[in-house]
């Protein structure tokens, strides 16, 4: 290859700096020497070359002698270049060795740069045959007067001025040749840089051709093998598959025919099941048949009417099941009351409910409610008439079948005595209890059936009802039981309400009303144990009637107490013999035998006296009345346990009335204004104080009884009883002060006329001691010892105060004189007389303070 041929080396001073030849890769520049004629380049690659890459030149021998003049033109020509050569050589001495080659290559690249060629030659519309283009090129060259030297390894002559046009044209042609050489040089560089890629592409093409030939031969072999396999194996297998597919189609056809035969025979089978009341079996057949008709036998025209026929049969079965369910429900409800509360035939009920479940018919729930309501009405009416007929022979059984006699029936119930009415209510409640129990069992059983179907639906992933549908069904079934309980309560209220509203009815005693409440409470408790918070209607009515009854009893007892106080004679009354039974009843049943409350009736000298904790209590008759009323209230609260708080409020009100009325009658002299007493005596005041003290002993036990029973509002009860006790104590203190005042008034009359003179003891002190002894004898049978001591201590203080004031008036001092001696003897007499009284013997009487 020409590219591998080495050219002449560079001068010695450059060879020493770089071992690489400068022209080793500049073959294009060698082949395109601008100094040579372009015609000689045409046969460059076609001529015959020798052993060296040089042209042989034939030099003519000039025989004439050559002189210096023959070389003057050449010397002048090269002189300028020689100067430049020396200049560059000097410059190279100062340049590093590794930069010299770069400078040379940079010069070479600059000499062959495309920037030297005007842009006109690169125009896409460049055409020298065009006059304007030609003139443009010539004019641009003609404007140049000074031609610079073209930097090229092969063009080293300096620029000169030309004097004629011929030389100028020659120079222009040489410049155009230079442009052409630059272009060809760049083209050659591009070709040489892409040569390896080209040869690689040729080599790759050869490899691809070989691979294609190999692949083609392999493909021919594979096709041959596949033809052999297809002929020997696949055709036979395909034939077998066709036969298997044909067999499957025949089998499907046979199955279709069998299904068609089965559907055709299902109608007689349904009739057989219905004849034996096997609704589940009949519904299963209908469901399966409809499923087959809608999927497997969908496009068989001869069966197009069967689906509608099965739907009609399903509707008939639905009516039959509803009728049988109502019949079964009536049979369950109408069984004897004495029988156990249980489902008689669970299998039949399961069959009916599951059948209705399958056909998605839930109207039976509403039908059940209507049927239960009718049965409750009928049994209620029957039992009322049966019992009334037993009590009153005038009542005809024909009332049973007549709706117009309902009013008359209620009137008959209203005319019954309350004990007879309780017998009827007891029977009715027993029947209602059994009805509710049986309805609850049936409803719970139906709920279990529905939940089983719901579980089956989840396991089988079949949506029969849907989640919302299940909730609605359960709500309707629960509502069925709730509505039954509500209807039973309404039926009871329709009879109970007129009876309690009857104005001319006999008076209902506490015992009778408590018996009635026990019946109702027993019924409600049993229902609440099975159904939580479902007896609000009847319980509300019961509370309302109980509240009315309490108000009525309270009004009667209040009137009784007020009338008793207004008519009280304010004299000592002996407690009757049966009064001990009242006290014992309070102790045993309500006060729980308190150790600090022992009450008894003692007969002394033919008279009965009340003893509480071995203290004798002489009281008025109104106290006995109040204790009897207290017993009635306590019994009433015991019989109506839900009204403990209301009863406690009313009993507090009764005691407040007693306290206020007593205060008004005695301290407010109401008894005198009413003409019951001519004067409020000292004894009357003492008896009143003792009566209040007796009542006050009962109040803490009554308070404790109600606090034990009441769960809520205990603070209110405690506050009410505390205020009641405080009111009684204030009243007792006022009575005690009144007694002290009356005694002090008597003593002040004697002290006011007291004179210090003989005889000793003086008449004044004798009179004072007599009055004190007389008062003491009066009180000893009425008040207890503690009260008497308290009373006379206050009297003694009052007496000493008045005595002190009298001595100040008499100007008597403690001087040891005769007057002081007489006063001292009177005081000694007074002390001795007081000490002789049993309850007052321990009183400390000291007269020292009267002299202070």
């Amino acid at each position: 290859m020409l590219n591998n041929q080495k050219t002449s080396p560079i001068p010695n001073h450059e060879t020493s700096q770089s071992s690489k030849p400068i022209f080793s890769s500049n073959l294009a520049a060698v082949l395109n020497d601008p100094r040579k004629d372009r015609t000689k380049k045409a046969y460059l690659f076609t001529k015959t070359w020798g052993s060296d890459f040089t042209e042989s030149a034939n030099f003519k021998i000039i025989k004439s002698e050559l002189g210096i003049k023959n070389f003057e033109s050449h010397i002048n020509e090269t002189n300028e270049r020689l100067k430049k050569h020396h200049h560059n050589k000097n410059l190279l001495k100062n340049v590093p060795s590794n930069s010299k080659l770069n400078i040379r290559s940079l010069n070479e690249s600059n000499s062959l740069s495309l920037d030297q060629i005007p842009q006109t030659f690169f125009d896409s519309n460049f055409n020298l045959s065009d006059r304007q283009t030609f003139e443009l090129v010539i004019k641009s060259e003609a404007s140049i007067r000074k031609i610079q030297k073209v930097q090229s390894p092969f063009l080293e002559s300096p620029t000169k001025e030309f004097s004629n046009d011929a030389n100028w044209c020659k120079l222009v042609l040489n410049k155009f040749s230079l442009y052409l050489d630059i272009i060809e040089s760049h083209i050659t560089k591009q070709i040489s840089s892409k040569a390896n890629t080209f040869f690689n592409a040729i080599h790759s093409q050869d490899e691809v051709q070989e691979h294609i030939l190999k692949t083609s031969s392999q493909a021919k072999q594979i096709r041959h093998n596949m033809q052999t396999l297809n002929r020997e194996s696949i055709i036979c297998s395909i034939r077998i598959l066709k036969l298997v597919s044909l067999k499957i189609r025949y089998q499907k056809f046979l199955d279709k025919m069998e299904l068609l035969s089965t559907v055709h025979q299902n109608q007689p089978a349904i009739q057989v099941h219905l004849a034996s009341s096997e609704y589940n079996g009949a519904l299963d057949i209908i469901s399966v048949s409809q499923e087959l008709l809608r999927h497997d036998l969908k496009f068989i025209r001869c069966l197009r009417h069967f689906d509608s026929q099965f739907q009609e049969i399903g509707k008939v079965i639905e009516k039959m099941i509803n009728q049988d369910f109502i019949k079964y429900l009536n049979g369950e409800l109408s069984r004897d009351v004495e029988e156990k509360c249980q489902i008689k035939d669970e299998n039949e009920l399961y069959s009916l409910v599951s059948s209705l479940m399958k056909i998605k018919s839930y109207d039976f729930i509403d039908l059940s409610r209507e049927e239960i309501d009718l049965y409750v009405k009928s049994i209620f009416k029957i039992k009322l008439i049966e019992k009334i007929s037993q009590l009153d022979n005038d009542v005809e059984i024909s009332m049973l079948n007549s709706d117009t006699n309902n009013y008359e029936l209620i009137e008959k119930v209203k005319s019954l005595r309350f004990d007879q009415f309780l017998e009827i209510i007891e029977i009715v409640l027993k029947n209602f209890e059994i009805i509710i129990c049986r309805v609850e069992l049936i409803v719970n059983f139906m709920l279990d059936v529905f939940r089983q179907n719901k579980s089956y639906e989840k396991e089988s992933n079949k949506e029969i009802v849907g989640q919302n549908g299940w909730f609605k069904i359960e709500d309707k079934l629960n509502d069925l039981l709730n509505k039954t309980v509500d209807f039973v309560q309404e039926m009871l209220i329709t009879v109970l309400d007129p009876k309690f509203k009857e104005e001319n009815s006999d008076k209902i005693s506490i015992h009778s009303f408590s018996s009635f409440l026990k019946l109702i409470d027993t019924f409600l408790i049993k229902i609440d144990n099975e159904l939580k918070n479902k007896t609000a209607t009847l319980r509300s009515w019961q509370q309302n009637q109980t509240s009315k009854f309490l108000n009525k009893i309270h009004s009667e007892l209040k009137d009784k107490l007020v009338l008793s106080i207004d008519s009280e004679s304010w004299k000592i009354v002996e407690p009757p013999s049966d009064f001990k039974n009242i006290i014992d009843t309070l102790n045993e049943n309500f006060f729980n035998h308190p150790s600090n409350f022992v009450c008894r009736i003692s007969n002394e000298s033919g008279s009965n006296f009340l003893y509480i904790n071995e203290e004798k209590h002489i009281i008025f008759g109104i106290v006995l009345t109040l204790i009897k009323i207290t017993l009635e209230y306590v019994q009433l609260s015991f019989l109506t346990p839900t009204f403990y708080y209301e009863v406690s409020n009313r009993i507090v009100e009764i005691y407040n009335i007693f306290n206020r009325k007593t205060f008004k009658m005695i301290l407010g002299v109401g008894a005198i204004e009413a003409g019951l007493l001519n004067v409020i005596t000292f004894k009357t005041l003492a008896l009143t104080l003792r009566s209040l003290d007796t009542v006050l002993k009962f109040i803490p036990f009554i308070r404790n009884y109600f606090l034990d029973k009441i769960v809520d509002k205990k603070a209110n009860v405690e506050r009410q009883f505390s205020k009641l006790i405080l009111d009684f104590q204030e009243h007792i203190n006022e009575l005690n002060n009144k007694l002290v005042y009356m005694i002090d008034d008597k003593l002040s009359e004697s002290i006011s006329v007291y004179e210090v003179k003989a005889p000793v003891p003086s008449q004044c002190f004798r009179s004072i001691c007599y009055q004190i002894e007389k008062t003491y004898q009066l009180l000893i049978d009425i008040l207890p010892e503690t009260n008497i001591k308290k009373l006379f201590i206050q009297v003694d203080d009052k007496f000493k105060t008045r005595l002190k004031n009298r001595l100040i008036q008499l100007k008597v001092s403690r001087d040891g004189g005769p007057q002081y001696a007489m006063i001292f003897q009177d005081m000694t007499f007074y002390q001795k007389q007081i000490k002789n009284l049993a309850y007052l013997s321990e009183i400390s009487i000291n007269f020292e303070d009267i002299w202070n």
Side-chain angles (χ1 to χ4, degrees), residues 293-305:
L293 289 171
R294 293 169 184 172
H295 295 88
D296 298 332
L297 305 176
K298 183 176 182 181
F299 300 106
I300 300 178
R301 293 181 60 82
C302 64
L303 301 178
R304 62 184 180 275
H305 300 299

Side-chain angles (χ1 to χ4, degrees), residues 155-171:
L155 188 59
E156 298 178 354
S157 61
T159 305
K160 296 181 179 181
E161 294 183 357
F162 295 94
S163 60
N164 52 42
D165 292 338
N167 292 332
W168 176 79
C169 289
K170 184 179 179 180
L171 181 61

Side-chain angles (χ1 to χ4, degrees), residues 197 223 359 644 730:
T197 304
R223 290 180 65 187
I359 59 179
Y644 279 118
E730 289 179 357

Side-chain angles (χ1 to χ4, degrees), residues 797-813:
D797 292 339
K798 294 282 186 181
F799 169 71
K800 287 189 288 186
T801 301
R802 293 190 179 278
L803 179 60
K804 178 180 179 180
N805 293 333
R806 181 59 182 171
L807 293 177
I808 293 174
Q809 292 178 359
L810 297 175
K811 298 181 180 181
V812 178
S813 61

